[in-house]
Amino acid sequence: MRQIVELHVDAKAIKDLTNGYPLILKDAIATTEVSIEEGSILHLVDKNGGYIATGYYGAQNKGIGWVLTRKEKEKIDVKFFAKKIREAAEKRANFFASEDTTAFRVFNGEGDGIGGLTIDFFNGFYMVSWYSEGIYSFRDEVYEALNETLNTRGVYEKLRFNTNGQYIEQDDFVSGEKGEFPLIVQENGMNYAVDLNDGAMTGIFLDQRNVRKTLRDNYSMDKTVLNTFSYTGAFSVAAAMGGAAGTTSVDLAKRSLAKTIEQFAVNGIDYESQDIKVMNVFDYFNYAARKGLKFDVVVLDPPSFARTKKMTFSTAKDYPKLLMDALAITNDKGIIVASTNNASFNLKKFNGFIEKAFAESNKKYKILEQHQLPEDFTIPHNFPEFNYLKVVIIQVL
Ligand code: SAH
């Protein structure tokens, strides 16, 4: 039996929760220490026992659970999950109908009313990511709801229960048809190879779709493009498809080489005409400076935090320095695509990093475009802090 726990909410937090704030923060709970099982239903009440919202308990790095409904009588069952999934799918009708984009996010956690759960679509296959044991305790109900609501060819899942969101290794196949990987998906007419059963990542970060498109359509023709922290080279493919004079992809993960060759190959691009380097980006900056190499376009999309044997890199601390390194090998009038998915600072602060880096490099710049999450990555109304992606396209003057 699922535990039901009544929790008193702190007066301060009531206002946010009533306005639609979806996250249940540990600090918001006035009830003194009780032991709660993952997946318990939480009845949030004020100090007089007045109903505020219903949620579930699931420990994540950012909170202890998520609000599911503000209707006191609503039950958290298959019908509830089916309604949420149906509403989310209806919002993505244009994506489902698209012929040149066959990979997108169908359900974006708190933005679609269930924090801790995301569902992505890859050409008929569905990838469900679970961010706590609490939400995973609803697995049977959610899968039943998913299969009755959408036409699923096959279902895969990722378990990211560790409170830092780290992936748990397992066979990720759940049900239906098994995919043949690499599975080829389309994005604005480009092909991308994905694998839904090969560790934490699939081969493509869907939230950068609009950035790849603008890189291809507006910044690549006849340009030399450096793609740092390139992973499978998704930005390099976009640049090459946009007519780049050449691309250079740099990532220190050994498997990035084969994955990047594959992404070029599925687009009919001869990978030998492109440069793919398995190396530390910071070593590459030194190498390029020594050789006098400069680029027309530099893409910066580092992980929020990275540790190698020699150094640690944190976007919150080191982004200005990263920009200065990039600036040193960017041509005059060149373009820097500066991206970060670090949720701990906002776009304003990120723009501050950019200002700082240019000031210290004695250079002027113009911001040409700013991107945050695309429309399929829905975020809760009134709470822009859930919009973690920040991409600024900068022209060096
Ligand atoms: N920009 C990519 C996603 C980057 S994921 C895309 O759009 O698909 C982060 C990548 O950074 C990982 O592939 C990881 O191997 C790489 N990485 C982390 N630290 C690095 C470093 N110091 N030098 C080079 N690559 C690094």
Side-chain angles (χ1 to χ4, degrees):
M1 267 305 283
R2 203 174 280 284
Q3 206 187 5
I4 298 177
V5 182
E6 190 171 282
L7 290 179
H8 287 255
V9 176
D10 190 70
K12 270 205 323 288
I14 291 179
K15 189 163 161 256
D16 277 345
L17 286 169
T18 319
N19 279 338
Y21 190 68
L23 186 57
I24 306 173
L25 297 167
K26 194 156 191 280
D27 290 349
I29 305 303
T31 311
T32 39
E33 226 35 49
V34 283
S35 127
I36 308 174
E37 278 168 35
E38 285 280 326
S40 296
I41 295 290
L42 304 178
H43 278 176
L44 305 180
V45 298
D46 63 23
K47 64 177 190 306
N48 303 317
Y51 177 81
I52 299 165
T54 306
Y56 75 88
Y57 185 85
Q60 278 184 244
N61 59 348
K62 35 190 168 187
I64 59 161
W66 296 94
V67 171
L68 294 172
T69 177
R70 289 171 177 79
K71 292 185 201 136
E72 190 169 0
K73 295 268 150 58
E74 190 160 43
K75 283 212 201 69
I76 309 306
D77 53 11
V78 175
K79 202 171 127 224
F80 170 83
F81 290 114
K83 185 183 84 178
K84 292 289 182 196
I85 294 171
R86 192 177 330 107
E87 286 170 359
E90 279 164 6
K91 284 191 198 150
R92 278 87 170 170
N94 290 343
F95 284 99
F96 279 105
S98 170
E99 282 177 14
D100 65 1
T101 295
T102 59
F104 56 91
R105 178 149 292 188
V106 176
F107 196 95
N108 194 41
E110 64 276 12
D112 287 297
I114 307 172
L117 172 74
T118 65
I119 307 176
D120 294 325
F121 179 88
F122 292 99
N123 208 356
F125 291 90
Y126 285 80
M127 165 70 91
V128 182
S129 297
W130 305 89
Y131 286 86
S132 70
E133 281 184 52
I135 188 64
Y136 196 59
S137 73
F138 294 95
R139 181 182 197 264
D140 293 347
E141 289 94 326
V142 170
Y143 283 137
E144 190 179 331
L146 176 64
N147 286 318
E148 84 181 28
T149 311
L150 297 168
N151 185 10
T152 57
R153 187 169 154 196
V155 178
Y156 284 78
E157 69 181 7
K158 301 284 178 209
L159 309 187
R160 300 176 182 280
F161 299 166
N162 294 351
T163 40
N164 58 6
Q166 215 184 331
Y167 168 79
I168 297 170
E169 198 65 55
Q170 63 157 4
D171 180 350
D172 290 337
F173 175 71
V174 176
S175 64
E177 184 189 325
K178 285 201 171 176
E180 277 193 35
F181 302 122
L183 173 73
I184 310 301
V185 298
Q186 275 75 45
E187 182 187 275
N188 293 310
M190 293 178 277
N191 291 328
Y192 284 103
V194 300
D195 190 329
L196 305 184
N197 204 356
D198 182 26
M201 303 194 285
T202 60
I204 187 166
F205 288 98
L206 297 177
D207 55 4
Q208 297 278 16
R209 177 188 313 111
N210 295 341
V211 182
R212 283 187 285 267
K213 182 172 192 304
T214 193
L215 175 64
R216 179 190 68 185
D217 295 347
N218 301 311
Y219 302 103
S220 295
M221 184 59 87
D222 299 329
K223 305 293 188 198
T224 53
V225 179
L226 171 65
N227 181 13
T228 63
F229 308 95
S230 55
Y231 179 42
T232 66
F235 283 120
S236 310
V237 166
M241 295 302 277
T247 68
T248 301
S249 306
V250 184
D251 196 295
L252 55 65
K254 284 202 183 61
R255 58 180 197 155
S256 69
L257 175 63
K259 293 280 186 188
T260 304
I261 289 175
E262 182 175 65
Q263 296 297 21
F264 281 127
V266 299
N267 285 285
I269 301 162
D270 175 11
Y271 72 87
E272 290 189 333
S273 65
Q274 311 295 322
D275 205 2
I276 307 171
K277 295 243 181 307
V278 176
M279 86 192 264
N280 191 315
V281 164
F282 300 97
D283 292 338
Y284 184 80
F285 285 138
N286 292 333
Y287 163 87
R290 237 183 11 252
K291 293 254 168 179
L293 294 177
K294 286 201 166 196
F295 296 87
D296 300 321
V297 180
V298 177
V299 179
L300 301 173
D301 182 30
S304 289
F305 192 82
R307 189 192 297 276
T308 64
K309 280 181 216 111
K310 280 185 284 179
M311 65 177 304
T312 59
F313 171 84
S314 134
T315 42
K317 215 168 80 278
D318 304 318
Y319 216 108
K321 173 72 171 59
L322 176 65
L323 278 162
M324 290 173 72
D325 287 344
L327 255 174
I329 58 163
T330 306
N331 283 325
D332 287 344
K333 302 265 162 26
I335 299 288
I336 294 179
V337 178
S339 171
T340 177
N341 60 5
N342 189 332
S344 76
F345 57 87
N346 62 16
L347 181 58
K348 192 162 169 233
K349 177 135 187 221
F350 191 43
N351 278 313
F353 290 164
I354 295 167
E355 211 176 300
K356 181 167 182 233
F358 277 80
E360 289 192 13
S361 305
N362 267 319
K363 294 211 164 149
K364 294 209 163 6
Y365 66 100
K366 192 165 108 188
I367 291 180
L368 302 182
E369 291 185 39
Q370 301 195 111
H371 291 261
Q372 291 211 260
L373 289 173
E375 58 175 332
D376 48 329
F377 283 66
T378 328
I379 49 162
H381 282 301
N382 309 328
F383 298 99
E385 62 262 46
F386 292 100
N387 199 338
Y388 57 83
L389 184 69
K390 297 163 279 290
V391 185
V392 182
I393 303 184
I394 311 159
Q395 175 151 45
V396 183
L397 298 178

